[in-house]
């Protein structure tokens, strides 16, 4: 079992959803980013999604795009992102870490080299938004062979014919994108999300986490009622962009995590 598998098994036994937080590695700079990442577990985060800065983030809205630009301008690279994970593992060997981004930086490093480095750094899973199931031999299957979960996105437009293909080599959890469009856009609603989560769960034993459009503790609690996990990214990144100190960012994260965890309390 990976750290991701163990964490979701624990949460299932406790009867509560996971809280998953996304931050961009190196935003606004390496030192600040590392301080935030190291504080996430203490703020109640169950799974850390760490963004890989990339020059052409086509699935991301302005908030995440600008975070990636800030990180790149501060000198962030894929290797330095792996160093962030290594630094985290010096004090935290339990919290799962998922790298989320695009294939180009991984391809440029070389898949074999990247997977070896990621595994040794303590990475647990990958979300690569521009690699469809038809390209599983590129990265998905080698990643699974290296012991990393490969987490796939399902969306409101993933119909009954497409869903089995999306789920075929997915592991760790399924990431349900609650709205059509880019990150940081409309707000998610449990009334729309609940039936979709149930539809996906009917086809897989994996946990289903819901992200996109969750910006407040109240909305995190609402989604936590119907999903196995609640993912928040843009709302956290907005606090970093506004210049909030790491302690302020982490206090906001804790408010979201507490709300998600209390959803079924």
């Amino acid at each position: 079992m990976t750290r991701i598998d163990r964490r979701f098994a624990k949460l299932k036994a406790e009867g509560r959803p996971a809280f998953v937080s996304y931050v961009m590695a190196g935003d606004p700079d390496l030192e600040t980013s590392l301080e935030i990442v190291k504080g996430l577990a203490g703020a109640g985060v169950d799974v850390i999604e760490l963004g890989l800065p990339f020059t052409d983030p086509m699935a991301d809205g302005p908030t995440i795009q600008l975070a990636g630009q800030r990180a790149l301008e501060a000198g962030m690279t894929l290797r330095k992102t792996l160093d962030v994970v290594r630094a985290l593992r010096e004090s935290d060997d339990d919290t799962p870490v998922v790298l989320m981004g695009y294939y180009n930086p991984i391809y440029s490093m070389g898949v074999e080299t990247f997977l070896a480095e990621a595994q040794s750094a303590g990475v647990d899973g990958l979300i690569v938004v521009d690699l469809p199931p038809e390209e599983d031999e590129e990265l998905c299957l080698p990643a699974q062979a290296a012991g990393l979960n490969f987490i796939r996105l399902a969306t409101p437009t993933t119909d009954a014919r497409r869903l089995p293909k999306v789920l075929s080599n997915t592991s760790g959890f399924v990431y349900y994108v609650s709205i059509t469009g880019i990150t940081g856009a409309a707000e998610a609603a449990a009334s729309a999300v609940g039936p979709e989560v149930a539809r996906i769960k009917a086809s897989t034993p994996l946990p289903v986490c819901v992200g996109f459009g969750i910006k407040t503790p109240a909305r995190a609690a609402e989604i936590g009622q119907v999903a196995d996990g609640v993912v928040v990214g843009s709302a956290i990144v907005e606090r970093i962009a506004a210049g909030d100190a790491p302690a302020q960012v982490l206090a906001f994260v804790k408010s979201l995590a507490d709300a998600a965890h209390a959803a079924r309390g």
Side-chain angles (χ1 to χ4, degrees):
M1 294 179 75
T2 65
R3 289 185 186 89
I4 296 171
D5 298 328
R6 290 195 295 270
R7 181 56 55 95
F8 277 100
K10 178 176 182 290
L11 291 166
K12 184 177 181 179
E14 295 172 354
R16 62 189 180 99
F19 180 70
V20 184
S21 69
Y22 170 98
V23 293
M24 178 68 71
D27 176 34
D29 55 66
L30 179 55
E31 182 180 356
T32 305
S33 177
L34 182 55
E35 184 176 350
I36 292 170
V37 169
K38 284 186 172 182
L40 290 173
V45 172
D46 297 297
V47 179
I48 298 170
E49 282 184 11
L50 196 57
L52 300 176
F54 181 50
T55 53
D56 188 23
M58 60 187 179
D60 295 315
T63 298
I64 303 297
Q65 286 187 20
L66 289 170
Q69 288 177 18
R70 289 192 298 270
L72 291 169
E73 288 168 3
M76 202 62 186
T77 64
L78 177 52
R79 290 190 183 278
K80 288 181 180 179
T81 300
L82 295 174
D83 287 341
V84 169
V85 181
R86 288 190 182 91
L88 174 67
R89 291 290 175 234
E90 292 174 3
S91 58
D92 181 351
D93 196 42
D94 294 323
T95 307
V97 175
V98 175
L99 299 185
M100 184 172 185
Y102 298 83
Y103 185 46
N104 185 277
I106 296 170
Y107 177 80
S108 296
M109 179 182 281
V111 168
E112 188 174 338
T113 299
F114 166 74
L115 291 175
E117 292 285 332
Q119 198 277 337
S120 68
V123 173
D124 303 290
L126 304 174
I127 301 174
V128 183
V129 299
D130 56 346
L131 273 183
E134 287 75 15
E135 306 295 334
D136 275 356
E137 292 186 4
E138 283 284 326
L139 181 62
C140 173
L141 297 181
Q144 308 253 41
L148 302 180
N149 290 127
F150 200 87
I151 297 144
R152 192 87 67 189
L153 303 179
T155 75
T157 60
T158 305
D159 60 20
R161 193 165 74 174
R162 181 64 175 170
L163 185 60
K165 187 70 174 176
V166 169
L167 297 175
S168 61
N169 289 314
T170 300
S171 63
F173 63 90
V174 179
Y175 188 138
Y176 178 67
V177 176
S178 63
I179 55 176
T180 55
I182 55 177
T183 58
E187 284 202 79
S191 58
V193 169
E196 289 297 293
V197 170
R199 179 174 72 92
I200 295 168
K201 288 180 71 66
S203 298
T204 179
L206 293 172
V208 178
C209 297
V210 174
F212 287 47
I214 304 169
K215 302 178 181 181
T216 65
R219 194 50 55 97
E222 183 184 336
I223 299 300
Q225 294 278 3
V226 299
D228 299 308
V230 178
V231 187
V232 179
S234 292
I236 298 170
V237 173
E238 284 172 358
R239 299 298 180 104
I240 298 171
D244 284 11
Q248 294 172 297
V249 174
L250 293 170
F252 176 61
V253 171
K254 187 176 187 304
S255 72
L256 294 162
D258 288 348
H261 290 150
R264 299 180 209 161

